């Protein structure tokens, strides 16, 4: 069994209202010196496959088809 | 300026309906051999601070106060 972690983040230049809201909230809580905050998603996926190269290719296909919107998002895959 | 990445994941045993939905959707797309899927959040935070130890402590305080619900979630902080 192979475990993979997929991190999906917005591309640079794409507006992130959720991140902006968190930025404001942190300021309101008294955290000064916070520059930008960007929020993304993380997926921990377990695969029954035992071949790492195969698993990574499969995870990338999942990202392209479902997990990430590649028009506005980047993703990175790490096998754990 | 220091950049930090915070990864917030659900603790083991906490139900993750969103992850289950993704699991089902991946199966429907023809990806066999997908075990469990768990979804979490990632925050990329920029701090104006230049002291790494200080920055890490500040980020942890942010997690405890706002970014994570420590009753049901774990978080990990990595300085980039």
């Amino acid at each position: 069994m192979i475990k993979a972690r997929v991190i999906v983040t917005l591309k640079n230049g794409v507006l992130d209202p959720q991140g902006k809201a968190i930025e404001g909230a942190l300021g309101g809580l008294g955290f000064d010196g916070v520059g930008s905050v960007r929020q993304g998603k993380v997926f921990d996926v377990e695969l029954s496959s035992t071949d790492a190269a195969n698993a990574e290719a499969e995870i990338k296909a999942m990202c392209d088809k479902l997990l990430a919107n590649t028009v506005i998002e980047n993703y990175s895959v790490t096998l754990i």
Side-chain angles (χ1 to χ4, degrees), chain A:
Chain A
M1 197 185 62
I2 287 179
K3 286 187 182 189
R5 170 160 282 181
V6 178
I7 293 181
V8 177
T9 50
L10 283 171
K11 287 186 180 174
N12 283 336
V14 178
L15 209 66
D16 180 9
Q18 204 171 3
K20 284 279 166 219
I22 295 166
E23 229 176 278
L26 286 172
L29 284 171
F31 291 105
D32 303 324
V34 176
S36 80
V37 179
R38 308 272 291 169
Q39 180 166 4
K41 286 169 280 188
V42 56
F43 303 96
D44 288 326
V45 183
E46 278 181 20
L47 290 176
S48 59
S49 159
T50 50
D51 175 16
N54 219 324
E56 197 165 340
E58 205 179 353
I59 295 271
K60 283 188 177 163
M62 289 177 196
C63 289
D64 288 326
K65 281 203 186 159
L66 182 75
L67 301 181
N69 175 356
T70 52
V71 177
I72 55 167
E73 290 171 330
N74 293 319
Y75 62 83
S76 67
V77 177
T78 329
L79 299 185
I80 312 176

